[in-house]
Amino acid sequence: AMHAEAMPIVDVLKLTQADSAIFPKGVPWIRYTGSLEEGLLDIDVVVPGKCPIFGVDNVGTVPLALATFAAIQALQPDLVINAGTAGGFKAKGACVGDVFLATQVAYHDRRIPIPIFDTYGIATTKCTAVPNMIAALGFKEGNLSTGNSLDMTQQDEQLIKSNDASIKDMEAKRKFKSLPLFLTRFGAAVVYVTNLLSVPAILLKSVTDIVDGVRPTTEEFLENLSTAAVALLKTVVMALKFVHGKTVTEL
């Protein structure tokens, strides 16, 4: 959701900012476009942009779901890559700078204590299977738990554990041929939209902070954002080169 996460990838891939006419008039979403492998792989990087009222990065599942839906409708991609940062759990083997490929997503802050609706709220969903990519590139794997808040309530913590999460977005801890890359967090929102529109999706998450650690979230996030961004950049480029020329079933 932050431009800081997107720009290293935009710069390395030599993408240029594109006309936003493909999106509805007035939305703040930004699209960068270009190609890889001598023009044989078209790439679009889409970020939700800034809030026109408060001037901060658009964060949260609602902006991301809207931008994802509009971009898929306009660009008709073969594959969506959701690349961004996340908090990682030391208990699951996460270290700062690790990049995880999410194998399953769920929510931890959509609490609806009514039968059936409670399961709907958590919305546990398998991600697109990419066993060959995992084997070839050596990615760490894990479940991703998504929420809209930077802090974490006791109920959130319980649901994150129930989700068996290795990574969490937004980042937080207890106080103690065509490939759009959606540079942001909130992976469960991306998977909801891509499943709805039957588009394969890969979620790559670079760890900025350790959720079950002892340091304050904001301090650790800001300190490690550049490190995590570099790791994410390298991983995204590797993934792009791997998917080039392959079908989804070959991933």
Side-chain angles (χ1 to χ4, degrees), residues 4 10 28 37 58 69 144-146 168 175 187 202-203 228-229 235 246 249:
V10 169
E37 302 293 346
N58 278 315
F69 182 85
L144 170 67
S145 194
T146 290
K168 172 193 178 295
K175 290 184 179 179
I202 297 171
L203 280 64
T235 304
K246 294 181 175 61
T249 56

Side-chain angles (χ1 to χ4, degrees), residues 49-131:
K50 301 280 187 179
C51 172
I53 298 173
F54 297 100
V56 298
D57 292 291
N58 278 315
V59 299
T61 53
V62 173
L64 180 55
L66 287 170
T68 302
F69 182 85
I72 290 175
Q73 291 289 88
L75 300 171
Q76 297 294 302
D78 300 310
L79 176 70
V80 167
I81 299 178
N82 171 232
T85 59
F89 290 86
K90 182 172 62 175
K92 292 289 186 178
C95 299
V96 170
D98 283 346
V99 179
F100 277 78
L101 189 145
T103 50
Q104 179 175 289
V105 297
Y107 290 96
H108 56 259
D109 64 349
R110 300 203 312 179
R111 295 180 289 275
I112 313 173
I114 302 172
I116 306 301
F117 280 94
D118 53 358
T119 305
Y120 161 82
I122 296 170
T124 302
T125 308
K126 294 286 186 183
C127 298
T128 301
V130 288

